Amino acid sequence: MTFVTKLTFQSGNRYELESQVSDLHEMVERKGAECKGPHASPPEHHTVPQYRNLAPGDEFASWDYTVYSRKLEIHGNDHIAREVGHMEFPESIHVEIEVEQKKPLGHRNK
């Protein structure tokens, strides 16, 4: 059975996100792992209202921001995926890690 490690990166700073994901992709490939991506998702635009106090109607201008996302997949090479899972990333980048177990075709559960 092989494992697929799916990494999702999100940040409001597109340039830092691109730099970190590109460096990670190069490192994974340099170590000989199969890496798919980075895949970019469309940017998400958010608007958050800001209130001066708890009374209704008294507002500041809304806070607008954009979140950029990139996804990578590491196939096999569990030791490299484990190493990536223990890496430190800047606080401005949110990282989610999902591990999926792939069974060979024709495999039956008993």
Side-chain angles (χ1 to χ4, degrees):
M1 282 181 258
T2 27
F3 290 92
V4 176
T5 305
K6 297 178 180 182
L7 302 155
T8 303
F9 302 89
Q10 295 178 322
S11 179
N13 185 336
R14 186 177 81 201
Y15 302 106
E16 186 174 30
L17 179 69
E18 290 289 342
S19 174
Q20 288 288 317
V21 172
S22 295
D23 291 348
L24 180 63
H25 183 259
E26 289 173 14
M27 186 220 35
V28 168
E29 286 192 333
R30 194 172 49 248
K31 292 189 174 203
E34 181 184 351
C35 185
K36 294 185 179 181
H39 304 290
S41 299
E44 296 176 18
H45 302 284
H46 299 277
T47 301
V48 180
Q50 300 183 88
Y51 299 96
R52 293 182 191 273
N53 55 42
L54 297 177
D58 197 14
E59 294 183 19
F60 290 111
S62 294
W63 176 41
D64 299 318
Y65 66 98
T66 303
V67 176
Y68 302 94
S69 299
R70 301 291 180 270
K71 294 184 181 197
L72 281 177
E73 289 184 3
I74 302 171
H75 292 259
N77 291 333
D78 302 335
H79 66 284
I80 294 173
R82 191 174 299 113
E83 183 180 329
V84 169
H86 287 75
M87 290 176 69
E88 293 287 327
F89 293 96
E91 287 186 17
S92 63
I93 297 178
H94 175 76
V95 182
E96 291 182 13
I97 301 173
E98 178 184 341
V99 179
E100 187 176 298
Q101 187 175 6
K102 295 281 188 178
K103 296 180 181 172
L105 291 174
H107 182 271
R108 292 184 186 196
N109 289 335
K110 292 185 179 183

